[in-house]
Amino acid sequence: MDKIARYVRLTAVSGMTGRRWVEMATHLDDAGDDLMLAGLDAAQGQQYQALPEKQVDEVRNWLASSHHHHMITALDAGYPARLTETARFPPVLYIQGDPGVLNHPQLAVVGSRNGSHSGRYWCDWFTQQLALSRLTITSALARGIDGVAH
């Protein structure tokens, strides 16, 4: 199994965030596909194995569809160091655009999935103004206000 598949599968295991994910991913890289040797218990191993290959393929296809698509893990040099200072940092970042901006000053935008017309308008206006002043706008690319931010 390649690294992309191992890392995507590991993110599907309950409780695999932050430092625990980094520890397990490092052990998986060393142990290959021996999940017990890597430190996963039986239930975690089952979650790891149960992830449909279709979901791994979706990540591969998304990455291959554009040179602007990137998957950066907490093991990569390009992963933002300040993010690892948080208690439960996300172990994998899916990036659309320039991953170099991850170390620039940022503002996270989080909002309703069903934002009002006015909320969408003002989110769009504010994030444009902030981006023009060289602030990187970050969101989870969800529907609604988060998506408007991009």
Side-chain angles (χ1 to χ4, degrees):
M1 184 178 306
D2 69 336
K3 282 187 176 188
I4 290 175
R6 285 198 302 269
Y7 294 167
V8 170
R9 287 181 178 283
L10 192 57
T11 59
V13 175
S14 297
M16 286 296 149
T17 60
R19 287 168 188 73
R20 179 78 173 136
W21 186 94
V22 169
E23 179 184 323
M24 290 298 102
T26 301
H27 290 309
L28 276 173
D29 284 348
D30 294 340
D33 294 327
D34 190 336
L35 301 177
M36 296 301 225
L37 182 61
L40 296 177
D41 63 31
Q44 291 171 322
Q46 185 176 5
Q47 288 178 328
Y48 180 93
Q49 296 291 359
L51 185 75
E53 191 62 31
K54 178 182 176 187
Q55 285 184 255
V56 175
D57 288 341
E58 286 174 1
V59 171
R60 282 194 186 101
N61 292 339
W62 181 79
L63 290 168
S65 70
S66 171
H67 67 279
H68 294 290
H69 293 173
H70 308 276
M71 179 176 133
I72 296 179
T73 75
L75 298 173
D76 297 326
Y79 192 89
R82 295 204 61 204
L83 192 53
T84 63
E85 295 172 10
T86 62
R88 294 175 50 92
F89 59 88
V92 178
L93 301 175
Y94 297 96
I95 300 160
Q96 183 174 334
D98 178 7
V101 302
L102 292 174
N103 290 304
H104 293 180
Q106 297 181 43
L107 174 75
V109 175
V110 180
S112 172
R113 289 183 185 237
N114 298 309
S116 67
H117 176 48
S118 176
R120 289 172 170 276
Y121 172 84
W122 286 111
C123 176
D124 183 52
W125 187 86
F126 277 117
T127 53
Q128 283 184 34
Q129 299 307 307
L130 293 166
L132 289 171
S133 53
R134 313 211 26 94
L135 188 66
T136 298
I137 307 301
T138 306
S139 86
L141 292 174
R143 291 181 320 201
I145 297 298
D146 293 35
V148 171
H150 291 276

